[in-house]
Amino acid sequence: MHIDIITVLPELLESPLNHSIMKRAKEKGLLHIHVHQLRDYAINKYGQVDDTQYGGGAGMVMMCEPLARCIEKLKDERTYDEIIYLTPDGVNFHQRIANMLSMKQNLLLICGHYKGIDQRIRDKYVTLEISIGDYVLSGGELAAAILVDSIGRLIPGVLNDETSALTDSHQDGLLAPPVYTRPANFEGMEVPEILLNGNFKLIEEWRHEQSVLRTQERRPDLME
Ligand code: ADE
């Protein structure tokens, strides 16, 4: 998969996309991430990419020309399956969307700042608008990092044990069950007996039960 990301703050994306599983995905050649500095497409030598909003009001708006120039250049190089704008007024991000995006070849992500990007860029180029939750971040970069991480780990071959993504919370509409490792007794707290007896059918049943209980307790909305 190839992911291009347009941002004014590439530094914010460096660490999250270059460690752990994302690093492994890149090293295996399964994920290619290219971060593009929007200021390279600025309207003047001062690197201007934003301006005050028409109609008045606080906050700057990211201008059409730099974004259009950058997007057009990238579109000349490849055909995108989706051009995604990270914004708090987008559709709520969900595991279903991550699953869908993990099957694409080419994605272009646009990180907004300040009051956001000019509506005409959204109208002309953006095919999907995603919010990672009902709160406002200072910019789209952290949201983009979350999106890329959640998609990247689903690409076949990225995780060593392919089944481990399938048993994640949300993958089957339920929260994941509790997990335990050594020691079997920690300060008097025992690992549930059933996990120690080697009966995998019973263990699977117990895990499913625990998933259902946890989901009913914490996220009843998911049970509907
Ligand atoms: N940019 C600012 N806040 C955001 C959010 N909640 N989701 C996605 N992008 C954002």
Side-chain angles (χ1 to χ4, degrees):
M1 178 186 293
H2 184 107
I3 302 181
D4 287 300
I5 306 177
I6 302 176
T7 170
V8 287
L9 281 172
E11 301 85 354
L12 279 182
L13 292 159
E14 256 158 41
S15 182
L17 301 183
N18 286 301
H19 293 280
S20 181
I21 298 194
M22 292 306 100
K23 183 176 175 201
R24 203 194 308 157
K26 284 172 156 186
E27 284 171 356
K28 285 185 173 175
L30 297 169
L31 182 59
H32 306 273
I33 302 172
H34 292 260
V35 179
H36 306 271
Q37 169 56 272
L38 183 63
R39 292 199 196 282
D40 294 344
Y41 303 84
I43 56 156
N44 57 30
K45 62 178 182 188
Y46 307 108
Q48 186 181 355
V49 294
D50 59 344
D51 209 339
T52 53
Q53 53 176 316
Y54 278 119
M60 304 291 270
V61 174
M62 290 170 74
M63 305 172 80
C64 287
E65 293 99 322
L67 280 165
R69 273 205 289 268
C70 184
I71 294 168
E72 287 293 347
K73 176 167 178 284
L74 295 171
K75 269 166 53 101
D76 280 347
E77 290 161 21
R78 55 183 40 82
T79 305
Y80 291 102
D81 297 300
E82 299 284 0
I83 298 183
I84 301 169
Y85 174 46
L86 285 312
T87 174
D89 60 1
V91 296
N92 262 319
F93 192 48
H94 189 280
Q95 191 66 36
R96 269 194 310 273
I97 302 180
N99 291 345
M100 178 274 283
L101 292 176
S102 74
M103 289 182 264
K104 306 293 185 191
Q105 286 302 308
N106 296 307
L107 299 177
L108 172 55
L109 310 188
I110 303 171
C111 303
H113 260 268
Y114 324 113
K115 276 283 163 208
I117 68 175
D118 190 298
Q119 181 60 39
R120 290 165 291 184
I121 292 293
R122 298 168 74 158
D123 295 341
K124 179 164 183 195
Y125 296 109
V126 172
T127 59
L128 186 57
E129 301 192 325
I130 292 180
S131 161
I132 61 155
D134 293 342
Y135 42 83
V136 178
L137 303 166
S138 313
E141 286 77 11
L142 298 180
I146 285 170
L147 198 81
V148 173
D149 187 286
S150 64
I151 296 167
R153 63 198 300 285
L154 295 172
I155 299 170
V158 168
L159 295 183
N160 280 340
D161 178 0
E162 294 249 359
T163 59
S164 73
L166 296 177
T167 56
D168 285 343
S169 275
H170 299 294
Q171 212 38 283
D172 58 0
L174 294 173
L175 301 183
V179 292
Y180 300 86
T181 185
R182 276 186 286 247
N185 182 319
F186 172 67
E187 297 178 354
M189 292 185 285
E190 306 268 3
V191 169
E193 181 64 30
I194 194 154
L195 298 177
L196 306 174
N197 70 15
N199 184 330
F200 293 110
K201 187 168 175 293
L202 286 183
I203 290 174
E204 275 317 298
E205 280 170 18
W206 179 85
R207 286 186 170 147
H208 182 69
E209 258 169 48
Q210 293 294 314
S211 276
V212 171
L213 282 175
R214 194 166 264 202
T215 311
Q216 279 169 340
E217 222 172 83
R218 300 181 182 186
R219 293 291 306 277
D221 57 303
L222 295 177
M223 303 298 294
E224 281 151 22

